[in-house]
Amino acid sequence: MLCITQKKSAAEAKSYFEQELSQGDYYTEGQEVVGMWGGEAAKMLGLSGQVLQQDFDALVDNIHPDSGESITAHQRSDRTAGYDCTFNAPKSLSVLYEHSKDDNLLSAFRESVHETMQEIEQKMEARVRKDGADHNRETGNLAYAEFIHHTARPVDGIPDPHLHAHCFVMNATFDGEEQQWKAGQFQNIKAESPYYEAAFHARLSQKIHDLGYGIETKGKFWDIAGVDQDIIDKYSHRTAQIEQVAQDNNITNAKTKSELAATTRESKSKGLTRDDLVEIWDARLTDDEHFSLSHLINSGGDSDEVRITPDKAVDFSINHLLERQSAAKLSTVKEQALRAGYGAIHPDDVKQALAARGDVVHLVVKGKNSITTKEVLNEEQHIIDFTKDGYAMCPKLNDNHQIKADFLSAEQQNAVQHILTSRDQVIAIQGKAGVGKTTLMKEAIGAITTSGTKVFTFAPSADASRGVLREEGFANADTVAKLLIDQEMQSQIKDSVIWVDEAGLLSCKDMGGIFDIAKAQNARVILSGDIAQHSSVQRGDAFSILQDHANLQPANIDTIRRQKGEYREAVTAISEGKIEQGFNIFDRLGKIQQIDNEQDRYKTLATDYVAVIDKGKTALIVSPTHKEAEKVTNEVRSQLQEAGKLKGEAQQYTGYKNLQLTEAQKTDTRFYEVGQCVKFSQNATGIKRGERLQIVAVDRQKNTVMLENNKGEQRQLPLEHSNRFNIYTAKSIELQKGDRIRISEGGSTLDKHRLNTGSLYNIKDFDRHGNIKLTNGWLLGKDSGNITHGYVTTSHSSQGKTVDEVFIAQSADSFPASNAKQFYVSASRGKQDIHIYTDDKVELLKNVEESGQRMSATQMLKESQGLKSQGLDRSEEEQKLTNRSKFIDLYKKFTVIRDYMTKVKDRVAQHIYNHHPLQNHNQHDKTAKWADRIKSQHRANNLEPEI
C-alpha cells in the first residue's frame, strides 16, 4: 500500500521524527533507524546522506539548514510541514525477508521506493501567482527523508515482520522559472496516489519475480507464490486486531479502517532485541511451514505461471473502465493496467503500450488528463447523427386530436400536442419526478393509436416496464433489453412507434440499438424521462447527450404534482439543482433528524416506519448503499418481530448477490474466490442457461477457474465467454411469515409466474418442503436464490416507485455514494411526507450537493479542443476527429435549411397546381412536370401540403 498523510505543523512533524521515524518497533541501545535524504531539492539545499534531526527540524520550520534564513518567502503560522508517504511491502515479502535475510529482497524494496519517489518528484508542483496568474506549475523537485522500518506496531507487546518505508516530503520546492523557493502543491499527487501505489507494487513485484519468485495477484495487491496464507495469517496480528475493532464497531469503509490504525496502536516495545523477535516468530511456525519457507528460499517460485503482456493489461484496463463511463482518468487507466500485470510489467511498459494504441483519444479537461476511445466517440456520434437526420422527416402522428382540457394540465397538454404534431423521428418529453408523465402518456398513446399507428412501450428495467407500466394499463410494455434481442418483437413494430419511458436510464449502446431498430423498421421513437435523475449504469448518458449535442428539444413538464405544499417546494428546488434550498426546507420542517449513535438512529427510523405502515399507508426506506440498508433492515425486522408482525419459526434461505463485475473483470481470476457462484444467462459448452455452479478452485497464475454443479461434476469456467455469466456471493437470509422480500434478479415461481427484478412481495407462509407462499397466491421455490429482504432499497432501484411516505437512511457510511441525483430521486418518492436520518447534517448536505453528472466523451473532447486551441498540442488523429465533427455539424445545419427550403418550394408548387391550373401545359411543361412529381411524392409519403 501507499498512504500519504499530511503533517499540519512543524511541532507535529518534529514529534513524529522523534517518536516514529527514527525509532524501530523494537528498541535496544544503538538500534535507532537511520534516515537518508532523497530528492533533487534536498541536493539544492546541500543535504545528502544521513538525516540529522537538526536538519529535519530546520526544514519543517521552513529554515534553510545552512543559512538559517526562511526557505520560502511566506512564513505562515499555520503552514503545513510536509507529507509522509508510507510504502508497505506485501506481508509475504516481509516474512520471506526475515527468514532469509536476503539483501536482494531488501534492495528490491528500497529501489522500488526510490524509483517511485522519483516519478512522484517529476509531478511536484508550485502555485503560480505572478502577473495575476492562478494555476500550478510542475517544478520537478522535492526533498524527502527516507526511513526503512522492518516491523509493524506491536500487539500485546510483540511486533510482527512488516517491511515498510516512510518518505517524509518537505513542504518546499524550487520554481526554476521564477527562480525562487515555494510551498509545494500536493493535491494532484494525493489525488493520483492510487496510481503511484500501483506503480510501486509493479516495480517491486517485477524485481521479486526477476529474483526467481512467482507472483500471485490478490485483488489490488499481490503476494509471493508459495508463502501459504496460514503463514501470512500467523504474522498479521496487527491487521487482525484492526479488523476485529472494525467488526465490533460495524466499520467497513476502507478509509475509516485505516484511521483505526492510529487510534488502536500500542506504544513501541522497549527491551526486545531482534534476536528475541526472531525466536518468537520462529516458534509460531510448524516444522512443515519452516520447511516450506526454506524450500521456497532455495528453489524460487513456480516457473509455469501465465504472464500478461503490457498490451493485454492496457486492454483490460480500458475495457473495464470504459464499460461504465465514457472517459477515464489517465492515471486510473495506468493504475488498473499495472495491477493486472504484477510481476510482468513496469510503469514504462504501460506508457509505451498506451502510446502505441491508435484508438485512444487523449483529453485535457480542467487541467486533468483523461482518455476515451474512438469507439466511444463513434457510439455517441451515432445516436447524435440519427436524431439530427430525423428532424422534420416524418408525418405528424395526429394533429386533429382534441385534448381533454379538464383532464391534463396546460404543461401536459402542450407535451401531448408536441408529440402529436412533431415531424421528427425522435421526440422527447423531459419531465421531473412526479409531474404526471404516465398520465400524459396515456392521452398521447390513445391519440396515436386512434390515427392507426401502433405504439409499443418499453422501459430499461423489468420493474419499470412489466411492473409499473403494465399496472398503469400498458399491457404490452416490456424491457429495452428484450427489444434489443427479440427479432420477432422487432418485426412487429414496423411502421409503428417505440415509446421508451425512464429514458434517462438508457446507455449510449442501448439507445443506439433502439435507433438501429427504428431505422430498420421505419419506426418513430418517443423518449420520456428526466436527466436530473439516475442515469445508466453502463457508459453514456444518452438522453442527456441528445439534448446537449443533437439539439433535441423536448417538451418540458416542470410542475410537480406528486407532492403538495412545502414538501413540493423542497423537491422542486432540488430538481432545479438548488440542493441547499430544498435541504434547508426539509430541515426547517423537522424532516431531518441528526442522531449520532448508530443504534439509536436506526431504532428511531424503524419505529417511525412501523408506525406509518400500522396506519395502512405505503412506505419505502431508501439508502444509497447496501451496507447501511442491511443495518436498517435488521432493526426494522427486530421491531416487526416485537410487534408480532413477523410470526412463526424463522426459516433460513440462501440468497445470491450479483457482484456486478465488468466484462473485463470476469476474464481475470483476481476477482474470483472459492465459494462464489456462477450463473449462466446463456448456454455454454456443457452448461445450460440458468444453471448455477459453485467455484471450487482458482489458479491465478494460470488464470483458470474450476466449477462444480449439484451433481459433483467439475468443468473449467469459459472465461472467454464472460458475457454469458455473472458472479455471485451466497448469503444466508432469515425469513418469517409476514416478511417482505425483494426479487434481486428476474426468474419465475414454481407455478410459472414471472418474477421481475426489483418487485416486492409479502410472505404468507411456508409449505412442508420449505417453499415460500406469497400473499398473492404464488409459490416461490426454496432454492430460487434470487431474493433478499425488501424493506430497504437503493435510490437507483427506487426510481419509478411512489409511496405515501419515504424514509431515507443516509449516514457517513453512505456519503461516498451520495450526490444530487441520488438525493433528488430518494426525496421525491413520497407523496405525503419524508423522513431523513443522518449522523451529520453538515456533511450530508456537502455530499448531496455533488452533481453526480457524468460528462460525455463528446463534451470532454470539445472542452479539450478548446484548451488545445489555446496553445496545447493535438495529435493528428484528434485533429481529424475535430475536423470531421465540425464538418458534420455544418452539414447538418445546411441539410436542415435545405430541407426546409425544399418543403417551402414544394408546397408553393402544390398550391399552384391545386388552385391555379395551367392553361397551356405545353408552354409551361417544366413547371407542370415539377408539380406532378411533387404531388405524387406527397401522396407516397402520406403528407398533406400546408400553406
Side-chain angles (χ1 to χ4, degrees):
M1 294 179 63
L2 168 62
C3 300
I4 301 179
T5 308
Q6 181 184 17
K7 298 302 176 184
K8 298 181 179 180
S9 69
E12 182 183 6
K14 292 174 185 178
S15 174
Y16 189 59
F17 180 92
E18 293 173 3
Q19 299 179 26
E20 305 290 338
L21 297 178
S22 63
Q23 301 296 325
D25 292 325
Y26 55 90
Y27 180 84
T28 57
E29 191 65 32
Q31 290 185 330
E32 293 87 350
V33 176
V34 176
M36 303 297 290
W37 287 111
E40 292 300 315
K43 295 177 184 177
M44 295 178 191
L45 293 167
L47 297 170
S48 62
Q50 184 175 339
V51 177
L52 301 178
Q53 180 160 0
Q54 60 264 32
D55 294 334
F56 184 95
D57 290 352
L59 261 61
V60 297
D61 280 329
N62 196 30
I63 301 297
H64 196 294
D66 288 338
S67 68
E69 298 178 354
S70 294
I71 298 175
T72 65
H74 301 288
Q75 185 71 290
R76 293 166 44 185
S77 59
D78 60 346
R79 181 180 181 275
T80 294
Y83 290 80
D84 179 36
C85 300
T86 306
F87 296 85
N88 298 281
K91 180 62 72 173
S92 57
L93 176 56
S94 299
V95 171
L96 202 63
Y97 173 69
E98 290 300 337
H99 279 78
S100 69
K101 298 312 295 182
D102 183 353
D103 288 339
N104 290 320
L105 296 175
L106 181 59
S107 295
F109 174 75
R110 298 195 72 158
E111 289 168 8
S112 300
V113 171
H114 294 162
E115 291 167 13
T116 307
M117 286 303 300
Q118 286 176 339
E119 186 175 11
I120 291 174
E121 182 172 40
Q122 294 305 308
K123 295 298 181 180
M124 189 63 186
E125 295 178 326
R127 185 170 293 173
V128 178
R129 294 287 203 211
K130 196 172 183 179
D131 299 328
D134 187 10
H135 63 272
N136 291 346
R137 175 190 293 134
E138 288 185 1
T139 61
N141 63 83
L142 51 75
Y144 69 91
E146 178 206 67
F147 299 84
I148 303 293
H149 289 198
H150 295 267
T151 58
R153 275 282 176 172
V155 175
D156 296 331
I158 307 298
D160 286 330
H162 178 44
L163 181 60
H164 61 286
H166 294 276
C167 294
F168 192 96
V169 183
M170 302 298 171
N171 187 16
T173 186
F174 187 74
D175 185 342
E177 189 164 329
E178 294 184 29
Q179 288 293 301
Q180 69 177 67
W181 288 93
K182 296 180 177 180
Q185 296 299 309
F186 291 84
Q187 295 93 329
N188 288 334
I189 289 174
K190 287 200 69 175
E192 298 194 353
S193 61
Y195 162 72
Y196 293 120
E197 177 182 81
F200 161 69
H201 280 289
R203 293 182 170 102
L204 179 56
S205 61
Q206 189 177 59
K207 293 180 193 299
I208 298 300
H209 183 274
D210 291 344
L211 290 173
Y213 295 98
I215 301 300
E216 185 177 52
T217 56
K218 293 184 177 180
K220 292 173 61 177
F221 301 105
W222 59 278
D223 269 310
I224 297 174
V227 181
D228 294 339
Q229 187 62 46
D230 287 344
I231 296 176
I232 291 174
D233 292 341
K234 289 181 179 181
Y235 294 108
S236 304
H237 291 81
R238 178 67 175 144
T239 300
Q241 181 189 48
I242 294 172
E243 288 292 339
Q244 186 60 54
V245 173
Q247 182 178 335
D248 292 344
N249 292 275
N250 294 315
I251 296 171
T252 58
N253 181 272
K255 182 180 178 182
T256 308
K257 280 186 181 181
S258 67
E259 292 170 352
L260 286 177
T263 59
T264 62
R265 63 191 184 185
E266 299 177 16
S267 299
K268 293 192 175 185
S269 301
K270 304 290 183 178
L272 284 174
T273 66
R274 188 181 183 284
D275 289 341
D276 294 333
L277 288 177
V278 170
E279 184 177 348
I280 294 170
W281 293 336
D282 284 347
R284 294 177 183 174
L285 302 182
T286 65
D287 290 341
D288 287 343
E289 289 169 337
H290 275 294
F291 175 80
S292 173
L293 286 177
S294 298
H295 177 73
L296 181 63
I297 292 166
N298 294 326
S299 64
D302 186 353
S303 60
D304 294 331
E305 61 187 306
V306 177
R307 304 187 74 200
I308 193 171
T309 65
D311 288 339
K312 292 293 185 183
V314 169
D315 284 345
F316 165 82
S317 179
I318 290 176
N319 292 338
H320 165 59
L321 293 170
L322 296 190
E323 181 175 318
R324 295 174 183 172
Q325 53 190 359
S326 298
K329 285 176 57 178
L330 178 59
S331 65
T332 306
V333 174
K334 293 190 292 184
E335 174 211 342
Q336 292 294 329
L338 289 172
R339 294 194 192 279
Y342 284 149
I345 59 176
H346 187 275
D348 291 341
D349 297 331
V350 171
K351 292 177 184 178
Q352 293 170 10
L354 272 170
R357 286 184 65 125
D359 64 329
V360 170
V361 179
H362 290 268
L363 309 166
V364 181
V365 179
K366 297 180 180 178
K368 306 297 182 184
N369 291 304
S370 298
I371 69 159
T372 189
T373 63
K374 293 176 184 178
E375 178 186 1
V376 175
L377 286 164
N378 290 336
E379 194 174 75
E380 294 182 359
Q381 193 63 50
H382 171 56
I383 64 172
I384 293 170
D385 288 347
F386 180 87
T387 303
K388 287 183 175 181
D389 289 343
Y391 288 148
M393 299 302 290
C394 302
K396 296 177 180 179
L397 289 168
N398 186 348
D399 60 342
N400 296 319
H401 179 70
Q402 297 298 315
I403 300 175
K404 301 174 183 178
D406 59 343
F407 184 67
L408 299 173
S409 69
E411 279 185 327
Q412 290 173 320
Q413 291 183 49
N414 290 336
V416 173
Q417 192 70 22
H418 172 74
I419 292 168
L420 299 180
T421 61
S422 174
R423 290 188 180 275
D424 300 335
Q425 188 164 10
V426 180
I427 305 169
I429 303 296
Q430 164 65 31
K432 296 175 181 176
V435 297
K437 292 190 293 292
T438 306
T439 304
L440 74 88
M441 192 173 171
K442 291 180 180 178
E443 181 74 13
I445 289 177
I448 296 170
T449 54
T450 299
S451 69
T453 302
K454 292 182 179 179
V455 180
F456 293 82
T457 54
F458 301 91
S461 70
D463 195 33
S465 57
R466 299 174 187 141
V468 176
L469 288 180
R470 289 187 183 181
E471 288 176 5
E472 292 290 342
F474 304 104
N476 67 352
D478 219 315
T479 63
V480 169
K482 185 172 183 181
L483 170 64
L484 295 176
I485 63 173
D486 192 330
Q487 294 184 356
E488 182 179 351
M489 178 181 286
Q490 294 172 15
S491 65
Q492 292 173 358
I493 65 172
K494 186 172 181 60
D495 300 325
S496 300
V497 173
I498 300 172
W499 189 312
V500 182
D501 194 29
E502 297 288 357
L505 291 171
L506 287 175
S507 66
C508 280
K509 183 178 180 181
D510 286 350
M511 185 75 83
I514 292 169
F515 286 174
D516 289 341
I517 294 167
K519 182 176 182 179
Q521 301 298 334
N522 190 38
R524 305 280 287 276
V525 179
I526 300 175
L527 305 171
S528 58
D530 183 7
I531 60 175
Q533 295 187 59
H534 285 301
S535 53
S536 166
V537 174
Q538 305 302 312
R539 73 170 175 241
D541 301 347
F543 199 32
S544 293
I545 288 171
L546 296 182
Q547 294 184 44
D548 292 340
H549 302 289
N551 199 32
L552 179 64
Q553 300 295 326
N556 289 291
I557 314 172
D558 297 324
T559 303
I560 295 174
R561 300 157 69 88
R562 179 178 296 162
Q563 294 88 23
K564 305 296 181 185
E566 290 186 291
Y567 187 2
R568 177 166 65 184
E569 183 184 342
V571 173
T572 299
I574 293 169
S575 72
E576 295 171 349
K578 303 171 185 176
I579 309 299
E580 185 175 7
Q581 179 180 328
F583 189 94
N584 288 338
I585 293 173
F586 286 146
D587 198 18
R588 176 171 53 78
L589 294 173
K591 304 303 180 184
I592 306 177
Q593 295 190 54
Q594 177 173 309
I595 305 173
D596 296 337
N597 182 274
E598 180 178 288
Q599 186 175 357
D600 292 343
R601 181 167 64 254
Y602 297 140
K603 187 173 183 178
T604 301
L605 187 160
T607 301
D608 295 345
Y609 170 80
V610 171
V612 167
I613 62 174
D614 276 346
K615 297 176 183 177
K617 293 184 176 183
T618 58
L620 181 69
I621 306 174
V622 183
S623 183
T625 62
H626 291 292
K627 182 182 74 171
E628 186 161 18
E630 184 174 350
K631 295 177 182 179
V632 176
T633 294
N634 291 338
E635 188 58 46
V636 168
R637 293 191 73 249
S638 177
Q639 297 266 344
L640 292 173
Q641 287 166 345
E642 290 180 11
K645 296 182 181 298
L646 299 185
K647 302 175 182 179
E649 184 178 349
Q651 308 287 324
Q652 296 297 322
Y653 291 85
T654 299
Y656 294 95
K657 178 184 177 183
N658 191 334
L659 294 179
Q660 304 293 342
L661 301 183
T662 64
E663 295 299 316
Q665 287 176 317
K666 286 187 285 185
T667 65
D668 190 329
T669 54
R670 287 181 297 151
F671 301 95
Y672 291 83
E673 297 290 343
V674 172
Q676 292 173 339
C677 292
V678 179
K679 184 179 178 182
F680 283 76
S681 56
Q682 300 179 47
N683 293 333
T685 304
I687 304 173
K688 294 182 179 180
R689 177 179 179 272
E691 190 172 354
R692 185 185 294 124
L693 301 94
Q694 189 170 24
I695 297 175
V696 293
V698 179
D699 189 331
R700 292 189 174 87
Q701 288 184 294
K702 296 180 180 179
N703 204 47
T704 59
V705 177
M706 293 303 298
L707 305 176
E708 184 173 284
N709 62 18
N710 55 12
K711 297 178 182 179
E713 300 169 337
Q714 293 191 2
R715 55 176 47 86
Q716 186 171 319
L717 177 64
L719 296 175
E720 68 276 12
H721 296 309
S722 60
N723 62 327
R724 301 185 186 183
F725 60 81
N726 285 306
I727 315 301
Y728 300 79
T729 54
K731 183 178 180 180
S732 180
I733 301 174
E734 180 184 275
L735 297 177
Q736 292 175 261
K737 297 176 186 178
D739 252 323
R740 194 179 198 192
I741 60 173
R742 181 173 64 85
I743 303 303
S744 56
E745 189 168 293
S748 60
T749 64
L750 291 178
D751 43 355
K752 308 303 181 184
H753 294 288
R754 184 169 196 134
L755 296 168
N756 296 320
T757 303
S759 296
L760 298 170
Y761 299 99
N762 291 318
I763 297 176
K764 180 180 180 181
D765 204 347
F766 307 92
D767 71 11
R768 62 189 180 88
H769 301 293
N771 300 311
I772 304 171
K773 296 180 180 180
L774 304 178
T775 53
N776 64 356
W778 296 359
L779 187 64
L780 183 62
K782 63 179 181 179
D783 297 322
S784 63
N786 56 342
I787 56 173
T788 186
H789 289 120
Y791 301 101
V792 189
T793 182
T794 63
S795 61
H796 204 285
S797 297
S798 75
Q799 186 162 318
K801 290 182 169 61
T802 304
V803 293
D804 294 328
E805 298 191 25
V806 64
F807 296 77
I808 301 174
Q810 201 157 346
S811 69
D813 286 341
S814 294
F815 287 168
S818 301
N819 56 54
K821 285 178 177 286
Q822 166 272 314
F823 192 60
Y824 169 38
V825 171
S826 300
S828 59
R829 297 308 93 201
K831 291 186 295 185
Q832 301 172 8
D833 210 347
I834 183 174
H835 314 269
I836 302 172
Y837 304 81
T838 187
D839 53 356
D840 192 328
K841 290 183 184 179
V842 174
E843 286 299 311
L844 174 59
L845 175 58
K846 186 185 299 183
N847 281 275
V848 299
E849 284 186 306
E850 295 292 327
S851 72
Q853 181 67 46
R854 300 182 297 190
M855 190 177 290
S856 68
T858 302
Q859 182 61 36
M860 294 183 74
L861 180 64
K862 288 184 177 181
E863 293 195 18
S864 184
Q865 289 167 347
L867 290 172
K868 289 170 183 174
S869 67
Q870 299 173 22
L872 298 176
D873 292 333
R874 178 163 48 198
S875 70
E876 183 179 348
E877 286 295 338
E878 290 175 32
Q879 183 65 58
K880 289 179 182 177
L881 198 57
T882 302
N883 293 339
R884 178 178 180 275
S885 179
K886 289 180 178 178
F887 171 77
I888 289 173
D889 284 343
L890 288 172
Y891 177 75
K892 295 302 179 188
K893 291 176 182 177
F894 163 75
T895 301
V896 171
I897 295 172
R898 182 199 63 192
D899 291 346
Y900 176 76
M901 295 304 297
T902 299
K903 288 179 180 180
V904 170
K905 181 176 70 173
D906 290 352
R907 289 170 181 174
V908 170
Q910 185 67 55
H911 181 74
I912 293 172
Y913 186 85
N914 289 339
H915 301 284
H916 301 283
L918 297 175
Q919 299 298 320
N920 188 345
H921 280 242
N922 292 329
Q923 291 179 338
H924 306 283
D925 188 53
K926 290 184 178 180
T927 304
K929 288 181 179 179
W930 175 48
D932 281 333
R933 177 174 58 81
I934 295 304
K935 190 167 186 177
S936 64
Q937 287 177 350
H938 278 297
R939 281 198 299 268
N941 292 322
N942 195 28
L943 292 172
E944 291 298 328
E946 293 180 356
I947 302 299

